[in-house]
Amino acid sequence: MHSIRWKLLLTYLLITYVPLIFFFNTIMTTIQNHFEEDRAKKLQSSANMIAGSVAKSKYFDNLADESRRTLQNTDLGLRSAQDGYRVMILDNYCTVLNDTNNEDVNKTRIVPEVIKALQFKNAVSVRDDARAIYASASIDNDAGEAVGAVLLISSLQDIYGLVSDINQKLLMYTTLTAVIMGVLVVFASQMLIDPLTSILSVVTKMSDGNLDERVELFGHDEYAVLGQACNVMAAKLQQMDKTRHEFVSNVSHELKTPLASVKVLSESILLQNDVQPEVYREFLQDINSEVDRLVSVVNDLLQLVKLDQGEMGLQVRSVSLNRLIGEIIFRLQPLARQKDLTLKFDYTREVTVECDEVKFASAISNLVDNAVKYTPAKGAVVVTLEADHQNAFISVADTGIGIAEEDQRRIFDRFYRVDKTRDRETGGTGLGLAITYSTVRMHRGSIKIASKENEGSIFTVRVPIHFKGDEA
Ligand code: ADP
């Protein structure tokens, strides 16, 4: 958890301070260069000026005249004191004639700038080692020959001092800002991480099996969305858990009831002596019908399990729905007649869809079966087949007992029956519509119901003509 905070802090420092350091460096170098260049220009022009005035004073014509030299020195001294640089005059043998610092007089100083000046290439350069700028200019006689040179040396100490002063101040402000911003980042990250921590603690509890836990939602930000998603997930898991429990208990119940009947029936014969063969027959018939019931529950369950495996188990091919429905009607016709019901199939055109014939037939068969089963005598069941460019529509309408509004939502649930006692009499397993629903969904279709109690029901199945599979 803490690592996010440190990552944020580190990221902040990296994206803020690394560029800032480069930026400062560039600024400081630019400032320093600017000062140095400015100083160099001034120094060069002073060197030129001094060289000009020395040349004019014919100083080199009377070098033996000591008083001239002193005069010159005084003049140079004044200038140097005023502008803060050292001035030297050298002859063309690089012997120092004048030096405002009085250090090198009569000494030979071989300085590159002086050599260049004697070759008429006035020079100025920054000497990092000496922390100074050297500027030179040649002193020419009337014939235009270089008789000597002026060398100006200006210390850069003041510029360096100024730059380091600015540097120090910038560093101080930057450090201060860094500390303040760092504290703010820690607070901001706290604000970002706290909701995450609370979501995480709830999710941890959920993953430990406490599915009643819920994330508290504040605001409408991404955390709220995440919290909401966790809550929805927990609710779904809870529902799944509940459905699974219900399913297992329903399965047990569905199997237990016929088994208990079989047990009671068989025990009662076993406990009786001298039983008449007719009684045996009657009991065995009852046992047989209970076993039939068990078989049909198990068969339906197996069918649902197969459907739960998904599309993998589907054997899709082109199937004529007219033929498929025709066969279902034909098979149920005797039952309808027996119940005195009209069972009709209406269609206007041939409709072929891509589907798993066996599974789809069983899905439609369940609907027609139910319509016949839940419609009293003299009623009617009409199956209609229609299609547009994309879908086929099969509707099964009956004039039966209908389904109450509140039950309509649940009849597709496994083992759900509106009237438990009556349905058990009719031999239903409560799995038929669940099978139909799963099959239709697997074919990327849908199923709708319109029903009114005591008036009848219409189940309408929509199924795409072309099977879309996973791409849908
Ligand atoms: P069952 O095997 O009990 O028929 P189904 O899943 O096929 O199970 O149907 C679930 C319940 O829906 C039925 O028990 C019945 O109460 C109700 N039902 C289904 N079809 C109809 C219908 N056409 N008319 C009235 N009720 C129906």
Side-chain angles (χ1 to χ4, degrees):
M1 223 35 216
H2 295 285
S3 69
I4 291 186
R5 186 165 308 153
W6 292 121
K7 275 180 201 158
L8 270 175
L9 196 61
L10 201 73
T11 314
Y12 158 75
L13 288 175
L14 278 178
I15 59 173
T16 317
Y17 287 98
V18 172
L20 214 61
I21 286 167
F22 280 116
F23 181 62
F24 281 170
N25 239 346
T26 319
I27 286 192
M28 293 325 294
T29 321
T30 314
I31 290 178
Q32 190 169 325
N33 286 345
H34 172 78
F35 280 134
E36 284 176 0
E37 275 165 26
D38 189 54
R39 177 72 56 86
K41 257 188 229 158
K42 280 185 185 151
L43 209 63
Q44 182 67 76
S45 89
S46 298
N48 291 342
M49 242 165 62
I50 294 171
S53 69
V54 173
K56 230 192 234 164
S57 69
K58 308 278 182 215
Y59 171 69
F60 274 86
D61 296 349
N62 292 296
L63 273 181
D65 185 346
E66 198 58 39
S67 62
R68 268 183 167 276
R69 211 155 149 178
T70 319
L71 199 71
Q72 191 66 58
N73 227 10
T74 321
D75 182 33
L76 292 179
L78 281 175
R79 281 169 186 261
S80 123
Q82 183 186 327
D83 294 332
Y85 45 68
R86 177 179 177 185
V87 188
M88 288 174 163
I89 296 179
L90 299 96
D91 64 13
N92 46 11
Y93 297 104
C94 290
T95 309
V96 178
L97 304 176
N98 291 82
D99 175 7
T100 50
N101 274 20
N102 283 325
E103 285 170 11
D104 293 339
V105 182
N106 294 330
K107 286 184 192 161
T108 305
R109 285 282 307 265
I110 315 275
V111 181
E113 288 78 8
V114 174
I115 309 282
K116 278 187 190 159
L118 291 173
Q119 294 162 356
F120 299 110
K121 288 182 222 151
N122 294 355
V124 62
S125 44
V126 175
R127 299 273 196 92
D128 278 334
D129 52 339
R131 303 187 141 246
I133 298 183
Y134 283 49
S136 65
S138 65
I139 303 168
D140 312 332
N141 62 13
D142 290 341
E145 295 152 347
V147 286
V150 171
L151 176 66
L152 263 57
I153 303 172
S154 170
S155 163
L156 286 174
Q157 222 46 277
D158 55 336
I159 292 180
Y160 289 156
L162 182 72
V163 169
S164 103
D165 211 38
I166 299 177
N167 231 341
Q168 260 174 12
K169 282 204 174 101
L170 274 179
L171 198 73
M172 199 180 76
Y173 288 131
T174 315
T175 315
L176 198 71
T177 324
V179 172
I180 294 172
M181 293 300 271
V183 171
L184 287 179
V185 166
V186 170
F187 274 115
S189 63
Q190 187 87 24
M191 270 165 56
L192 286 176
I193 291 161
D194 276 357
L196 203 61
T197 317
S198 68
I199 292 177
L200 194 71
S201 91
V202 175
V203 172
T204 311
K205 283 182 198 156
M206 284 176 181
S207 67
D208 287 342
N210 298 327
L211 292 175
D212 288 330
E213 290 285 338
R214 289 293 178 269
V215 176
E216 264 186 83
L217 304 174
F218 300 103
H220 302 282
D221 57 5
E222 284 81 353
Y223 290 119
V225 177
L226 178 66
Q228 176 73 24
C230 289
N231 288 348
V232 170
M233 189 183 70
K236 282 196 175 154
L237 283 173
Q238 243 177 343
Q239 182 58 39
M240 267 168 67
D241 214 31
K242 201 172 140 223
T243 313
R244 196 171 52 87
H245 268 108
E246 266 175 20
F247 185 67
V248 172
S249 88
N250 280 334
V251 170
S252 320
H253 181 76
E254 290 300 324
L255 297 179
K256 219 173 94 186
T257 319
L259 280 175
S261 304
V262 169
K263 174 99 177 136
V264 170
L265 288 165
S266 53
E267 265 179 3
S268 53
I269 319 177
L270 284 173
L271 291 175
Q272 284 181 42
N273 297 320
D274 304 327
V275 187
Q276 299 295 310
E278 303 84 67
V279 180
Y280 264 127
R281 177 171 288 280
E282 199 186 312
F283 272 61
L284 282 175
Q285 256 166 5
D286 286 349
I287 290 176
N288 192 43
S289 69
E290 289 300 339
V291 171
D292 278 347
R293 219 186 129 60
L294 276 173
V295 170
S296 64
V297 171
V298 171
N299 277 342
D300 280 358
L301 278 174
L302 285 176
Q303 208 173 331
L304 270 173
V305 168
K306 271 194 206 148
L307 286 171
D308 285 346
Q309 286 170 353
E311 281 169 24
M312 298 284 287
L314 286 187
Q315 311 250 307
V316 178
R317 59 189 188 85
S318 277
V319 175
S320 156
L321 286 189
N322 306 66
R323 179 182 55 76
L324 183 139
I325 298 170
E327 282 170 10
I328 295 171
I329 303 280
F330 181 76
R331 185 171 50 77
L332 287 173
Q333 211 54 270
L335 188 67
R337 240 177 270 128
Q338 197 185 323
K339 281 191 74 179
D340 199 9
L341 294 180
T342 323
L343 176 56
K344 246 178 59 181
F345 178 29
D346 269 357
Y347 61 89
T348 47
R349 49 177 277 206
E350 274 296 317
V351 181
T352 305
V353 300
E354 290 168 1
C355 66
D356 180 316
E357 180 167 359
V358 177
K359 292 196 173 75
F360 203 70
S362 128
I364 302 299
S365 175
N366 284 343
L367 294 179
V368 188
D369 251 349
N370 281 350
V372 171
K373 211 159 49 173
Y374 300 106
T375 303
K378 307 255 185 285
V381 174
V382 181
V383 182
T384 316
L385 173 63
E386 286 167 335
D388 60 20
H389 291 307
Q390 291 176 333
N391 296 296
F393 299 91
I394 305 132
S395 74
V396 181
D398 65 52
T399 57
I401 58 169
I403 302 157
E405 187 91 35
E406 63 269 23
D407 292 314
Q408 289 180 16
R409 264 177 290 120
R410 300 206 53 197
I411 51 166
F412 296 105
D413 292 352
R414 295 171 182 195
F415 293 115
Y416 189 79
R417 299 183 181 102
V418 175
D419 182 341
K420 314 266 175 229
T421 45
R422 178 161 47 175
D423 288 331
R424 198 149 288 143
E425 279 165 26
T426 58
T429 59
L431 292 170
L433 285 182
I435 292 173
T436 302
Y437 182 79
S438 289
T439 311
V440 171
R441 286 298 300 264
M442 204 156 293
H443 283 83
R444 308 284 177 201
S446 61
I447 182 161
K448 267 194 326 198
I449 169 170
S451 182
K452 220 168 188 184
E453 270 184 293
N454 302 319
E455 284 187 19
S457 317
I458 307 174
F459 286 82
T460 308
V461 171
R462 176 193 62 79
V463 63
I465 289 176
H466 297 292
F467 182 72
K468 292 199 188 85
D470 272 339
E471 70 190 60

